[in-house]
Protein backbone atom coordinates (compact mmCIF):
# COMPACT_ATOMS: atom_id res chain seq x y z
CA UNK A 1 0.00 0.00 0.00
CA UNK A 2 1.42 3.38 -1.00
CA UNK A 3 2.10 6.15 1.51
CA UNK A 4 -0.63 8.21 -0.19
CA UNK A 5 -3.18 5.40 0.26
CA UNK A 6 -2.16 5.08 3.89
CA UNK A 7 -2.71 8.83 4.33
CA UNK A 8 -6.20 8.57 2.84
CA UNK A 9 -7.10 5.63 5.07
CA UNK A 10 -5.74 7.39 8.15
CA UNK A 11 -7.77 10.50 7.30
CA UNK A 12 -10.94 8.45 6.82
CA UNK A 13 -10.45 6.65 10.12
CA UNK A 14 -9.78 9.95 11.86
CA UNK A 15 -12.88 11.59 10.43
CA UNK A 16 -15.10 8.63 11.24
CA UNK A 17 -13.95 8.71 14.87
CA UNK A 18 -14.48 12.45 15.12
CA UNK A 19 -17.90 12.20 13.49
CA UNK A 20 -19.09 9.87 16.22
CA UNK A 21 -18.68 12.55 18.88
CA UNK A 22 -20.15 15.56 17.06
CA UNK A 23 -23.59 16.80 18.07
CA UNK A 24 -25.99 17.15 15.14
CA UNK A 25 -28.09 20.05 16.45
CA UNK A 26 -25.63 22.90 15.88
CA UNK A 27 -23.98 24.13 12.69
CA UNK A 28 -20.75 25.24 14.38
CA UNK A 29 -18.27 22.38 14.49
CA UNK A 30 -14.57 21.79 14.63
CA UNK A 31 -13.04 18.55 13.47
CA UNK A 32 -10.45 18.84 16.24
CA UNK A 33 -11.56 20.73 19.32
CA UNK A 34 -8.40 22.80 19.77
CA UNK A 35 -7.06 22.89 16.22
CA UNK A 36 -4.33 25.44 15.53
CA UNK A 37 -2.74 25.50 12.05
CA UNK A 38 0.87 24.29 11.87
CA UNK A 39 1.48 26.87 9.14
CA UNK A 40 -0.85 29.86 9.15
CA UNK A 41 0.22 31.03 5.68
CA UNK A 42 -0.49 27.58 4.22
CA UNK A 43 -3.80 27.44 6.07
CA UNK A 44 -4.87 30.82 4.66
CA UNK A 45 -3.80 29.77 1.15
CA UNK A 46 -5.84 26.56 1.24
CA UNK A 47 -8.90 28.25 2.78
CA UNK A 48 -8.78 30.85 0.00
CA UNK A 49 -8.44 28.11 -2.64
CA UNK A 50 -11.40 26.25 -1.10
CA UNK A 51 -13.52 29.42 -1.31
CA UNK A 52 -12.51 30.04 -4.94
CA UNK A 53 -13.02 26.42 -6.01
CA UNK A 54 -16.46 26.10 -4.45
CA UNK A 55 -17.43 29.56 -5.64
CA UNK A 56 -16.92 28.23 -9.17
CA UNK A 57 -18.67 24.97 -8.21
CA UNK A 58 -21.72 26.92 -6.99
CA UNK A 59 -21.72 28.98 -10.18
CA UNK A 60 -20.72 26.16 -12.52
CA UNK A 61 -23.43 27.00 -15.06
CA UNK A 62 -21.19 29.90 -16.08
CA UNK A 63 -17.89 28.99 -14.40
CA UNK A 64 -17.41 25.32 -15.34
CA UNK A 65 -14.04 25.87 -17.02
CA UNK A 66 -12.62 27.71 -14.00
CA UNK A 67 -14.02 24.99 -11.73
CA UNK A 68 -12.39 22.28 -13.87
CA UNK A 69 -9.03 24.09 -13.87
CA UNK A 70 -8.64 23.39 -10.15
CA UNK A 71 -8.39 19.64 -10.76
CA UNK A 72 -5.11 17.88 -11.55
CA UNK A 73 -5.12 15.73 -14.66
CA UNK A 74 -4.42 12.60 -12.55
CA UNK A 75 -7.34 13.32 -10.19
CA UNK A 76 -8.77 10.61 -7.97
CA UNK A 77 -12.21 11.25 -6.46
CA UNK A 78 -13.42 8.88 -3.73
CA UNK A 79 -17.13 9.24 -2.95
CA UNK A 80 -18.96 7.16 -0.38
CA UNK A 81 -22.03 6.98 -2.61
CA UNK A 82 -20.58 7.11 -6.12
CA UNK A 83 -17.37 5.14 -5.66
CA UNK A 84 -13.98 5.96 -7.16
CA UNK A 85 -13.52 8.06 -10.26
CA UNK A 86 -10.14 8.63 -11.87
CA UNK A 87 -11.33 10.70 -14.81
CA UNK A 88 -11.21 14.48 -14.51
CA UNK A 89 -13.38 14.73 -17.61
CA UNK A 90 -16.06 12.42 -16.16
CA UNK A 91 -16.13 14.31 -12.87
CA UNK A 92 -16.53 17.65 -14.62
CA UNK A 93 -19.25 16.23 -16.92
CA UNK A 94 -21.04 14.71 -13.92
CA UNK A 95 -20.89 18.07 -12.13
CA UNK A 96 -22.30 19.82 -15.17
CA UNK A 97 -25.14 17.29 -15.48
CA UNK A 98 -26.03 16.76 -11.80
CA UNK A 99 -24.89 19.86 -9.90
CA UNK A 100 -24.92 23.01 -12.02
CA UNK A 101 -28.04 25.04 -11.29
CA UNK A 102 -29.32 22.36 -8.90
CA UNK A 103 -26.98 22.08 -5.92
CA UNK A 104 -24.87 24.50 -3.89
CA UNK A 105 -22.12 23.67 -1.42
CA UNK A 106 -21.91 25.45 1.94
CA UNK A 107 -18.87 25.21 4.19
CA UNK A 108 -19.51 24.70 7.89
CA UNK A 109 -17.90 27.80 9.43
CA UNK A 110 -14.52 27.28 11.11
CA UNK A 111 -14.41 23.57 10.25
CA UNK A 112 -11.40 23.56 7.90
CA UNK A 113 -8.11 22.08 9.05
CA UNK A 114 -4.99 22.13 6.90
CA UNK A 115 -1.86 20.03 7.33
CA UNK A 116 1.31 20.32 5.27
CA UNK A 117 2.56 17.30 3.33
CA UNK A 118 6.27 17.92 2.74
CA UNK A 119 7.36 17.51 -0.87
CA UNK A 120 3.76 17.41 -2.07
CA UNK A 121 1.50 20.17 -0.79
CA UNK A 122 -1.23 19.96 1.81
CA UNK A 123 -4.25 18.06 2.99
CA UNK A 124 -7.45 19.90 3.86
CA UNK A 125 -10.20 18.39 6.00
CA UNK A 126 -13.51 19.93 6.84
CA UNK A 127 -17.26 19.78 7.02
CA UNK A 128 -19.82 21.02 4.55
CA UNK A 129 -23.40 20.55 3.47
CA UNK A 130 -25.23 20.83 0.18
CA UNK A 131 -28.54 22.43 -0.67
CA UNK A 132 -30.47 20.91 -3.55
CA UNK A 133 -32.94 23.28 -5.21
CA UNK A 134 -35.32 20.32 -5.75
CA UNK A 135 -35.64 19.76 -1.98
CA UNK A 136 -37.96 21.73 0.34
CA UNK A 137 -36.20 24.81 1.79
CA UNK A 138 -36.86 23.67 5.37
CA UNK A 139 -35.31 20.25 4.84
CA UNK A 140 -32.75 19.48 7.56
CA UNK A 141 -29.14 19.94 6.48
CA UNK A 142 -27.00 16.84 6.47
CA UNK A 143 -23.34 17.54 6.98
CA UNK A 144 -20.66 15.71 5.10
CA UNK A 145 -16.96 15.35 5.70
CA UNK A 146 -14.34 15.98 3.08
CA UNK A 147 -10.62 15.51 2.58
CA UNK A 148 -8.86 17.30 -0.25
CA UNK A 149 -5.23 16.66 -1.20
CA UNK A 150 -3.78 19.83 -2.72
CA UNK A 151 -0.67 19.38 -4.87
CA UNK A 152 1.66 22.37 -5.18
CA UNK A 153 3.33 22.12 -8.57
CA UNK A 154 4.56 24.13 -11.53
CA UNK A 155 0.96 25.00 -12.52
CA UNK A 156 0.15 26.16 -8.99
CA UNK A 157 -2.11 24.45 -6.49
CA UNK A 158 -4.24 21.62 -7.93
CA UNK A 159 -6.71 19.21 -6.35
CA UNK A 160 -5.21 15.76 -6.82
CA UNK A 161 -7.39 13.61 -4.57
CA UNK A 162 -10.78 14.11 -2.95
CA UNK A 163 -12.55 12.00 -0.35
CA UNK A 164 -16.21 13.01 -0.01
CA UNK A 165 -18.35 11.47 2.72
CA UNK A 166 -22.02 12.22 3.27
Amino acid sequence: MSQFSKSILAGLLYLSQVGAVMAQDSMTYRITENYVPDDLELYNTIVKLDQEFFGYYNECQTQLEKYADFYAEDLEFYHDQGGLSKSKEEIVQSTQKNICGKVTRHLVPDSIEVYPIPGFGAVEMGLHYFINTDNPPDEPRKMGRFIVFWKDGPEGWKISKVVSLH
Side-chain angles (χ1 to χ4, degrees), residues 2-157:
S2 72
Q3 185 62 32
F4 216 72
S5 296
K6 289 178 185 176
S7 295
I8 289 172
L9 290 174
L12 288 171
L13 177 61
Y14 173 75
L15 287 175
S16 68
Q17 292 170 342
V18 170
V21 298
M22 292 188 322
Q24 290 294 316
D25 58 353
S26 170
M27 289 304 288
T28 56
Y29 297 98
R30 302 275 321 148
I31 292 176
T32 304
E33 187 174 337
N34 297 312
Y35 170 74
V36 176
D38 292 338
D39 180 333
L40 187 57
E41 183 177 346
L42 177 64
Y43 174 86
N44 289 335
T45 296
I46 299 301
V47 168
K48 183 176 183 249
L49 289 167
D50 181 275
Q51 290 171 335
E52 289 175 19
F53 174 72
F54 280 105
Y56 295 136
Y57 173 95
N58 287 343
E59 298 294 327
C60 61
Q61 288 175 292
T62 60
Q63 302 293 327
L64 191 65
E65 189 174 313
K66 289 181 180 180
Y67 158 80
D69 284 343
F70 272 82
Y71 286 131
E73 292 303 319
D74 60 348
L75 174 67
E76 292 181 6
F77 197 109
Y78 300 83
H79 194 281
D80 65 341
Q81 295 173 2
L84 169 63
S85 179
K86 292 185 174 186
S87 169
K88 174 181 173 176
E89 183 179 329
E90 286 178 15
I91 291 168
V92 172
Q93 288 175 353
S94 178
T95 300
Q96 185 175 28
K97 178 182 175 185
N98 301 308
I99 302 300
C100 297
K102 302 172 188 170
V103 177
T104 55
R105 182 259 197 172
H106 301 269
L107 179 67
V108 174
D110 300 320
S111 70
I112 290 179
E113 295 185 14
V114 175
Y115 299 91
I117 299 179
F120 180 79
V123 62
E124 170 192 16
M125 297 185 286
L127 303 168
H128 57 193
Y129 61 94
F130 296 86
I131 296 178
N132 188 324
T133 58
D134 292 339
N135 295 347
D138 59 344
E139 182 177 76
R141 297 176 185 153
K142 183 178 176 191
M143 280 195 309
R145 295 166 187 84
F146 66 92
I147 304 170
V148 177
F149 288 86
W150 291 91
K151 185 176 184 177
D152 188 14
E155 297 178 0
W157 289 95

